[in-house]
Amino acid sequence: SGLSWEPRSRAVEQVHLRCTEGSLEWMYPARALRVVLEPNLSSARHTTVCIKPASDFQGASIYVEHAGQLHLVVSEAEGAQPHHVSCFSAHTPQRVALFLQASPQRDISRRTASFQYELLSNQSAAGPDFKKMELVEAMCRPCDNVELLMAICSSDFVVKGSIRNVSHDSENHMSQVDVSVQKVYRQKNRIFQQDEASGDWRGPIRTLLQCKVKKGGGVFLFTGNEHFGEAWLGCAPRFKDFMFIYWAARERGANPCEF
């Protein structure tokens, strides 16, 4: 909180965050805050940093430090845009410094500058929002057999289910697949939950609008990764097709993990 600082001090508060993903909430922003993203995983080379401001982000702007200069990433005016994700290349893989500059204000009314961040490795540099985010695991082409077998090992979520509905958001270049879940094999967070009234398990999965996802019948195995608390579609074969591929690989001893 900016209220905890000495009123006449001009010092910049420093914060070191050691996780590869997380969030920061700065209440009553005052003066400036320097946030160093310095994960404990020294072996990992994080080449892309993504920031998603909260929908009520206000009171500050976010800059990234590079070669002694500050480059604007999130302005206070942009903070209220839903689903807005800013991504940029990390020039030093083990250490990224963000600079939060508080906006001038006359009163002491409560403002909160909060955002989520993710450090990603082995990804190409991404654009300013999801429509250019190659790091999102949405694949518009079908996965091959090797990718299918790896998807169940490495995905943040693996669920068996059918498509209830597909809706499209052209403004944010996204589609949402509402899934009726038969079985949850794995999920990182509680995106797929049981409806108290009906007892059915459900959950939303996002993908890129350009993938042109349509509602189809049958049972699928949905896999993918989570970004900023949302499930993003990876491989989604029909369940019976996947099981045929899996058992064939298992007989050859070529399955990378047990399913």
Side-chain angles (χ1 to χ4, degrees):
S1 171
L3 296 180
S4 63
W5 300 354
E6 289 292 330
R8 295 180 182 178
S9 171
R10 291 185 174 273
V12 175
E13 189 83 7
Q14 297 242 27
V15 177
H16 290 257
L17 301 181
R18 300 290 185 181
C19 298
T20 53
E21 61 181 89
S23 61
L24 182 139
E25 184 179 62
W26 189 23
M27 296 181 293
Y28 301 102
R31 297 185 300 284
L33 186 70
R34 187 170 185 263
V35 180
V36 181
L37 306 179
E38 200 171 25
N40 285 331
L41 298 173
S42 60
S43 60
R45 293 184 62 83
H46 299 97
T47 57
T48 304
V49 181
C50 291
I51 293 174
K52 183 179 183 180
S55 58
D56 58 351
F57 182 98
Q58 58 179 177
S61 294
I62 304 176
Y63 300 81
V64 62
E65 291 183 11
H66 175 53
Q69 293 185 321
L70 297 177
H71 301 271
L72 182 65
V73 178
V74 178
S75 68
E76 184 176 12
E78 288 178 342
Q81 294 184 13
H83 308 302
H84 187 93
V85 175
S86 300
C87 296
F88 50 90
S89 297
H91 300 284
T92 53
Q94 270 73 45
R95 184 184 176 97
V96 177
L98 304 175
F99 191 83
L100 278 68
Q101 176 72 53
S103 305
Q105 58 190 57
R106 295 180 180 178
D107 56 31
I108 201 169
S109 60
R110 174 164 175 165
R111 294 173 175 84
T112 304
S114 60
F115 64 90
Q116 296 172 278
Y117 74 91
E118 289 189 14
L119 299 175
L120 299 140
S121 56
N122 301 323
Q123 304 286 356
S124 56
D129 52 29
F130 271 129
K131 69 180 177 181
K132 296 177 183 174
M133 276 178 74
E134 295 175 36
L135 55 93
V136 172
E137 304 303 322
M139 298 185 214
C140 296
R141 59 173 179 79
C143 298
D144 62 29
N145 291 359
V146 174
E147 289 170 331
L148 290 178
L149 293 168
M150 280 304 300
I152 61 163
C153 309
S154 59
S155 294
D156 290 339
F157 66 88
V158 181
V159 298
K160 175 185 177 182
S162 56
I163 299 174
R164 295 177 62 243
N165 185 47
V166 177
S167 56
H168 304 288
D169 181 353
S170 57
E171 183 178 347
N172 291 301
H173 305 275
M174 296 186 296
S175 297
Q176 179 169 301
V177 181
D178 293 314
V179 176
S180 179
V181 178
Q182 294 181 14
K183 185 169 184 177
V184 177
Y185 294 96
R186 182 193 313 132
Q187 62 172 326
K188 188 176 178 181
N189 294 304
R190 291 179 52 80
I191 289 176
F192 303 95
Q193 298 190 26
Q194 190 173 25
D195 183 80
E196 293 183 2
S198 65
D200 297 334
W201 281 77
R202 298 175 180 174
I205 302 176
R206 296 180 180 274
T207 188
L208 300 179
L209 187 65
Q210 66 204 47
C211 293
K212 299 178 181 177
V213 173
K214 297 179 181 178
K215 183 178 179 181
V219 178
F220 297 85
L221 187 67
F222 298 97
T223 70
N225 287 328
E226 292 184 23
H227 295 287
F228 301 107
E230 297 172 338
W232 283 83
L233 186 63
C235 301
R238 291 189 178 275
F239 188 77
K240 64 179 190 322
D241 295 340
F242 170 78
M243 291 308 297
F244 178 81
I245 294 166
Y246 175 77
W247 285 110
R250 195 171 187 221
E251 287 180 10
R252 301 192 311 272
N255 54 314
C257 65
E258 292 293 325
F259 177 68

